[in-house]
Amino acid sequence: MPPSPSPHERRLAAFGPRLRRLIARLYGEARAEALWPRVSDLISIQAAARPAPLAALDLLREADPAWFVSPEMVGYSGYVDRFGGTVAGVAAHVDHLEALGVRYLHLLALLKARAGDSDGGFAIADYLSVEPRLGTMADVERLTERLRAARISLCVDLALNHTADDHEWARRARSGDPRYRDFYHVLTGEQVQAAETHLAQVFPATAPGNFTYVPEMGGWVWTTFYPFQWDLNWANPEVMLAMIDTMLRLANHGVEAFRLDSIAFLWKEVGTDCRNRPHAHDVVRVLRAALDIVAPATLLKAEAIVPTAFVPPYFGVDEGEGFEPECHLVYNNSLMVAGWVALAEQSAALPDAIVRASGGVPRGANWLSYARCHDDIGWGTVLRDLAAIDADPQSRLRAAARFTEGAGESWATGEPFQSDGSVLHGTNGTLASLAGLESATDDAAREMAFRRIALLNALAIASGGLAVTYMGDEAGLLNDHAYRADPDRMHEGRWLHRPAMDWAALDTPAARRITGDLARLRDARIAAGGAGAPAAFDTGHPAVLGLSCGGDRVFLNFSGEPAEVDLPDGWHDRLDDRPLDARPTIAPWRLLWARPA
Ligand code: GLC
């Protein structure tokens, strides 16, 4: 009898053909033929190097591929230095994460970043080293052991679109090595002009344009973000090989989820807007197939901050050759933005539309939902959704942005990002400050702010996604205005909402209120058994969003007025455990979590 195949052989037989086919789609059949032995070598090496506890996790999760689509899955995201000081310091605070029920931890700025400004750690100088002041890879392995024991999966950023300009590849390219020059895009002035006419700008105020002239490169390097972030040339298969290898090595260090940073921008085709190109999806599919073979316990998460309609394909699609999976998790950025629009205009119309556009998640996949993160609230992603509701979506969004930046009667304390406020771009501020806690001067105003915070947390939780809390939001941390006086950070407005964790603040009444509300919402979701794609129901009230969660009905009142809604007879309030009238009233900014009797 032939020996039974090893898990690696079994997976290679099952998923290798998909990987091979995708490589051919990207680089052509002839090159795929030549590349395949190198691809299969590097995946076999990393499969053989997979540590036993991770290999065991692979088997468990293969048997239960939707393991993370669960009402229990709430997460946390924060900076290593600002949360724990060092990697070992993060390990010392795992108890805080456990108390929040966290099952997933996204650590920002862990890998070795560029010297000097690094876009908050997103200009990576070495993917396989830890930022030296924070610790070593051995510390990361120890941290992942501690996290695994607590059933918390570590997520790390894989910045695929660009390296830092001091990454070894960039240094070699600059010194004239043709192999590495081909890792980047170098254009002539004329080509830049042709390309720019089709491109938008991510940082129009602090990093205008998409190209940077680099004399040693003898041309313009493609730099979508900051000039020191050099976009990688994915049309060169060497980039793909290097990144597959990097990803698998990190997975073998114990990383259980990769946040695929800025993946919409990966594939460049001059003459297009270079976002969401078909081959960008093929690259993600390649990474997924490699993980399916070597490290199937590992999740891929798409960070595609693009208009709503372009986002679901990052879960994967069937293009005639069977379903080709991409990411297990995808940020529901539009729902986050819609929550802030709803607060500003006291209308549930936009989140209702986004929830209805967010259904249909494939099996073994889920949205990642959130109220705030380390980035700005980028308003433009929902422009088209609003166009279906309003003839002048630009003005309507600008009004929401201005409100969130504190204009007029607003309770919010926020700042425009990459704009002087006259054009629509983004808004910065912490959850608490944008919800009114910073401007509140009395208990009544503070109470309203707490309600708005709970409302946005409820939107993330009751909509069924992997709901992630951004560091400090559980403690109601306010904006960090000190960034303006710090020469290293003053040019980058997003530092407004990246205050260092204030451990003492966890003991304040404000933090107890916010974490208490968060825990009640999470417990309610677990009791309701709600997870997966969000579902909206009609509440009959324009300011009240209805979300089905398991068999429960959750009503979010986005207005400053009481709202009456209808329920069948005999329903109960799940949070307060009391019977409800058939026509209950929801107080201003409150939510009602109703369960059947
Ligand atoms: C992602 C990150 C953001 C960063 C950008 C460029 O959008 O979330 O912080 O500036 O990518 O890497």
Side-chain angles (χ1 to χ4, degrees), residues 69-72 461-462 464 521-533 548-552 574 593 595:
V69 187
S70 146
E72 284 181 24
I461 291 174
L521 291 167
R522 189 204 59 216
D523 291 349
R525 181 167 89 169
I526 293 171
S548 304
C549 186
D552 288 5
R574 193 183 277 286
W593 193 303
R595 65 166 172 84

Side-chain angles (χ1 to χ4, degrees), residues 355-373:
V355 166
R356 290 175 199 273
S358 308
V361 168
R363 220 184 92 71
N366 203 8
W367 292 105
L368 185 139
S369 48
Y370 57 121
R372 284 294 289 117
C373 71

